[in-house]
Amino acid sequence: MSKNWQNLRLQLAALARRAKRVGIRRPNCQARYVPRLPERLLIAPQDLRTSDPTIAQDIYAGLFVFAGQVENCEAQSPFLIRAPSTEWLHELHGFRWLRHLRASDASLSRSNARVLVEDWISNSSKLPAEAWALPVVANRVFAWLNNSPIILQNADHDIYRSFLRALYLQVRYLRASNAGMPDNAQRLHVLMAELAGWLCLSGKERYARSASKKLVAELDAQILPDGGHVSRNPQVIVSILLDLLPLRQTFLSRDMVPPDGINRAIERMMPMLRFFRHPSGDFGRFNGSGATPADQLATILAYDDTRGAPVSNATFSGYQRIQAEQTVILMDTGHCPPLEQSVQAHAGTLSFELSVGTSAFVINCGAPSSRHAGWRELARSTAAHSTLTVQDHSTCSIGPNPFDLGGRPLLCEATKVISERAMDQAQETVHASHDGYGPLFGIQHDRQLWMTIDGRRLDGRDQLQSIGHGIKKGKDSFAIRFHLHPSVQMEKADDGELIYLGLSSGEIWKFASQEIEPSIEDSVFLSDIHGIQPTKQLVLYGHASHVPTIHWHFERVAYA
């Protein structure tokens, strides 16, 4: 499919979704009469996200720190000020920060939760449209439900009814609007929030059954048979489980049986958490995965009853894992996700990450946090991954931003990816190829990785094969990049052919290539929890018409 047709399809789909939302108005949260208003709130679901009581002190002082930006809202409503960014506004109106107030021992901080919710309700008619974006409303519903005990603590009848009315109207708004959502993880998020609302509000069991059926159908469509998400973003699994696990528990707390579809989805996703997790605790940095939420990951894994070894071949998700002793390789061998699921996807086909024990080693640059949004397009490029680029081009391009996808989709012109796995002479081998460079440059990239059974050596072979109209001189330059974690130290041997690499554990490894002398260049690590960090990369430069096959290897030469 050509890029023009892909762009047209995106715009037509966005218009179709907008048509479904015509006539749906934002609710008036201060309306005096609301039909079928529930009598009470039955339960407060658990919030698995960790909290920080020191943030509660900042909020009480009027300091709202979201998306890396600080706003001092002392003596004025934070909901009526000019937001410094869309990301800041989304976090503010999503109310997920209420959990920090709940964690505080200070009674003033906890009572501040009710004051801020009342302030939002009283100003709800004046709020910008972004405050009513469906993912933001879903976050707000979850947050109000999770933290309802502190919001309603010592509340009088009028406050209780006002809160219940505003919450109920927002759950109804989610129900009326979700049909117009794009086919991506946001729709799952909205459906989970709607279902949580119906389960927690009295007398709404009929709506809960209906929402359950929609959610199960969406889980079946978005969660792949191996447990990965159709977007191919590993962190989406974490986000889904953070809300889906408490949702299952809410059924049980209501003496209701959770739908089998919810249990099936959880059982599929749990092993994939271990699949994408390096021994260092880091999550694989592929297709939009950023800084590892170590606390959230540990919390979710506590719910994993099997605790078995991760699978090695995630065929449906398009990833491979090789583990020998404490050495682990994660490799992207998948296709580009569907358009509506690709707004965070990266053009990192055949890229890999390598870790040794608790030491991160070869990495992808990863995805930046919202406070460094200007780096997002660079992060999605092929050059930001440990793989091969031709003529400094990415394998896929980034499309326009339809008004309701929440980002720019990745456009791949029917790139074909093939992979196979084998055990040969006590070595685990992955062999994969893609033709993403075929239309422009007549090149197919073929990569083979194999690792010894003791994990002491990783060999790689990259081949640039002629396809289509064939390789053209002058349009065949390539670069094979190996981005290194900032903790890796390096030193080039006197002859220039070997590079010695020191890991944080104290181990010494070497890197060499038979055909090309490696270069050392600057790089950036975009997924550090402390922000963007400078680092280094090893690069092999050449021309496909001269050197079509490149052999390289990493080998341990000294233990800690």
Side-chain angles (χ1 to χ4, degrees):
M1 183 185 295
S2 71
K3 292 178 183 178
N4 288 336
W5 277 110
Q6 287 178 315
N7 291 341
L8 179 60
R9 175 186 165 190
L10 280 172
Q11 300 303 332
L12 290 175
L15 289 172
R17 289 190 295 270
R18 172 179 279 180
K20 291 181 180 179
R21 295 197 294 270
V22 170
I24 300 174
R25 297 182 179 180
R26 291 182 284 175
N28 177 7
C29 292
Q30 295 178 282
R32 293 186 178 182
Y33 172 74
V34 176
R36 298 182 295 278
L37 181 67
E39 290 296 321
R40 57 196 178 100
L41 194 62
L42 298 174
I43 192 171
Q46 183 182 7
D47 189 350
L48 297 184
R49 292 166 177 80
T50 53
S51 53
D52 182 356
T54 61
I55 296 177
Q57 299 172 15
D58 292 336
I59 292 175
Y60 184 73
L63 296 176
F64 291 80
V65 185
F66 304 130
Q69 296 172 298
V70 184
E71 283 294 315
N72 190 337
C73 304
E74 188 177 5
Q76 58 183 325
S77 170
F79 308 110
L80 297 180
I81 68 167
R82 185 188 180 106
S85 69
T86 301
E87 290 82 4
W88 188 93
L89 184 147
H90 284 174
E91 288 195 36
L92 173 71
H93 289 275
F95 276 89
R96 288 287 196 180
W97 42 267
L98 281 175
R99 69 183 188 277
H100 305 304
L101 277 63
R102 188 188 67 236
S104 175
D105 292 331
S107 58
L108 286 175
S109 294
R110 295 169 68 90
S111 63
N112 194 31
R114 183 173 71 244
V115 171
L116 288 166
V117 170
E118 286 185 88
D119 183 31
W120 187 93
I121 294 173
S122 64
N123 289 303
S124 58
S125 61
K126 308 172 189 175
L127 301 178
E130 286 290 343
W132 289 96
L134 291 179
V136 177
V137 179
N139 274 332
R140 192 159 58 239
V141 167
F142 270 126
W144 285 16
L145 290 172
N146 296 149
N147 299 283
S148 55
I150 63 167
I151 297 171
L152 299 175
Q153 187 176 17
N154 300 322
D156 60 29
H157 179 267
D158 289 341
I159 292 174
Y160 186 96
R161 299 300 288 177
S162 173
F163 173 79
L164 196 64
R165 179 173 57 242
L167 177 62
Y168 172 59
L169 288 172
Q170 290 178 84
V171 176
R172 282 175 40 134
Y173 181 65
L174 293 179
R175 180 173 182 264
S177 306
N178 60 45
M181 289 287 292
D183 292 325
N184 57 27
Q186 290 184 355
R187 176 179 284 185
L188 263 181
H189 180 55
V190 167
L191 288 172
M192 286 190 288
E194 181 201 341
L195 178 55
W198 297 134
L199 287 172
C200 295
L201 295 168
S202 64
K204 301 302 176 183
E205 290 77 9
R206 178 169 65 90
Y207 293 107
R209 288 191 293 270
S210 173
S212 295
K213 292 178 181 178
K214 290 189 291 184
L215 176 59
V216 167
E218 201 62 37
L219 286 169
D220 288 341
Q222 294 198 30
I223 306 304
L224 300 169
D226 57 20
H229 186 258
V230 69
S231 69
R232 305 190 63 243
N233 182 343
Q235 279 191 348
V236 170
I237 306 171
V238 177
S239 299
I240 293 171
L241 285 171
L242 283 171
D243 291 323
L244 196 59
L245 287 168
L247 192 60
R248 180 175 67 175
Q249 185 59 44
T250 304
F251 274 97
L252 298 174
S253 299
R254 288 286 318 270
D255 292 325
M256 300 168 67
V257 178
D260 288 340
I262 290 180
N263 292 325
R264 288 196 306 269
I266 291 172
E267 290 168 2
R268 292 201 304 274
M269 284 187 283
M270 279 295 191
M272 287 301 286
L273 294 178
R274 300 186 186 278
F275 178 95
F276 286 117
R277 194 180 188 215
H278 288 283
S280 62
D282 290 339
F283 231 37
R285 289 159 282 262
F286 299 94
N287 288 303
S289 188
T292 301
D295 52 349
Q296 297 176 0
L297 198 55
T299 300
I300 295 172
L301 286 172
Y303 286 80
D304 186 5
D305 297 328
T306 60
R307 299 182 182 274
V311 298
S312 57
N313 187 351
T315 306
F316 294 95
S317 295
Y319 292 99
Q320 297 286 334
R321 179 186 176 102
I322 302 177
Q323 180 164 359
E325 300 296 335
Q326 288 297 302
T327 305
V328 170
I329 300 168
L330 295 175
M331 184 176 179
D332 182 345
T333 58
H335 299 270
C336 182
L339 283 176
E340 291 184 4
Q341 296 279 5
S342 69
V343 294
Q344 294 180 326
H346 290 192
T349 310
L350 305 195
S351 65
F352 76 96
E353 292 195 331
L354 169 67
S355 63
V356 182
T358 58
S359 300
F361 195 171
V362 179
I363 60 172
N364 295 316
C365 293
S369 64
S370 57
R371 59 181 170 173
H372 299 294
W375 287 82
R376 284 178 185 163
E377 288 194 22
L378 175 65
R380 301 177 72 182
S381 68
T382 304
H385 298 77
S386 293
T387 187
L388 176 145
T389 59
V390 175
Q391 290 289 121
D392 201 28
H393 272 62
S394 289
T395 55
C396 303
S397 62
I398 300 175
N401 188 3
F403 62 85
D404 64 345
L405 281 187
R408 299 175 63 186
L410 204 64
L411 304 181
C412 300
E413 294 190 43
T415 300
K416 185 178 181 181
V417 185
I418 299 174
S419 67
E420 59 182 9
R421 187 186 183 102
M423 175 69 78
D424 183 29
Q425 297 180 353
Q427 294 188 124
E428 195 84 36
T429 303
V430 172
H431 187 189
S433 64
H434 77 85
D435 60 359
Y437 290 118
L440 283 178
F441 308 114
I443 290 174
Q444 175 176 292
H445 177 205
D446 184 289
R447 166 167 277 185
Q448 186 168 351
L449 301 182
W450 59 96
M451 187 163 62
T452 56
I453 198 168
D454 59 6
R456 295 182 57 178
R457 178 170 170 133
L458 166 65
D459 282 88
R461 183 186 69 203
D462 286 295
Q463 291 181 297
L464 294 93
Q465 300 179 356
S466 178
I467 61 172
H469 296 294
I471 299 173
K472 297 179 182 179
K473 289 186 178 181
K475 291 188 176 182
D476 63 340
S477 65
F478 67 81
I480 305 173
R481 303 178 185 277
F482 306 88
H483 297 275
L484 302 175
H485 191 268
S487 63
V488 177
Q489 304 296 315
M490 69 180 69
E491 181 178 335
K492 202 167 189 176
D494 293 337
D495 60 9
E497 294 182 359
L498 287 179
I499 295 179
Y500 291 97
L501 305 156
L503 308 189
S504 59
S505 63
E507 290 185 10
I508 306 297
W509 286 61
K510 68 178 181 180
F511 174 83
S513 172
Q514 295 179 20
E515 295 81 11
I516 302 172
E517 183 177 314
S519 301
I520 299 175
E521 298 184 358
D522 291 333
S523 180
V524 287
F525 181 39
L526 301 174
S527 294
D528 192 274
I529 58 173
H530 302 295
I532 296 173
Q533 301 294 322
T535 187
K536 297 292 183 181
Q537 60 178 315
L538 306 176
V539 190
L540 304 176
Y541 289 108
H543 290 83
S545 56
H546 297 148
V547 189
T549 302
I550 307 94
H551 297 84
W552 50 265
H553 71 268
F554 290 91
E555 185 175 9
R556 181 192 295 145
V557 295
Y559 289 91

